[in-house]
Amino acid sequence: QVQLVESGGGLVQPGGSLRLSCVASGINFGIWNLAWYRQAPGKQRESVAAITAKNFTTYADSVKGRFTLSRGGAANTVHLQMDRLKPEDTAIYFCNAVYGMTDYWGRGTQVIVSS
């Protein structure tokens, strides 16, 4: 059974940082394309950052230069380092893994940026 479990969310002040992690079981992350999405209240889910199996990364314009996506030291982890957070980054953040026509989602972790 495949599971993606996100962690690291929380409440942070504007300008602060958080590091989200996604740990997978049941699949080998190394060959999967991975991504973080987020969904703010009343808005559609949007892509935040993605990394291919060959470690090519892309970022949404809104987070470019502030967020960094990387594969973890352990084989089945991926991290999203989020710096200089803004109130508009408030959302539930989801981990996504795609391989061919198959994809999996985690249940999400809440990020609230507020003073």
Side-chain angles (χ1 to χ4, degrees):
Q1 182 179 0
V2 177
Q3 270 193 315
L4 304 182
V5 179
E6 303 96 334
S7 63
L11 173 64
V12 63
Q13 291 188 341
S17 298
L18 283 173
R19 187 178 191 233
L20 305 184
S21 297
C22 176
V23 178
S25 59
I27 58 174
N28 179 357
F29 255 3
I31 62 173
W32 289 66
N33 296 318
L34 308 171
W36 285 91
Y37 286 74
R38 67 186 181 187
Q39 188 165 16
K43 294 190 176 180
Q44 288 189 327
R45 191 172 296 189
E46 62 176 358
S47 175
V48 174
I51 186 167
T52 68
K54 295 185 177 181
N55 292 327
F56 179 75
T57 55
T58 57
Y59 298 92
D61 287 342
S62 59
V63 307
K64 207 170 288 185
R66 299 187 298 121
F67 290 11
T68 304
L69 178 60
S70 62
R71 293 180 184 269
N76 278 5
T77 60
V78 64
H79 303 292
L80 183 67
Q81 178 66 39
M82 306 188 298
D83 298 317
R84 302 197 303 279
L85 283 161
K86 304 176 181 179
E88 51 263 44
D89 294 318
T90 294
I92 300 174
Y93 284 70
F94 298 90
C95 181
N96 171 252
V98 177
Y99 184 75
M101 298 297 290
T102 303
D103 74 325
Y104 295 103
W105 292 88
R107 292 189 171 186
T109 185
Q110 176 80 58
V111 171
I112 299 174
V113 184
S114 175
S115 55

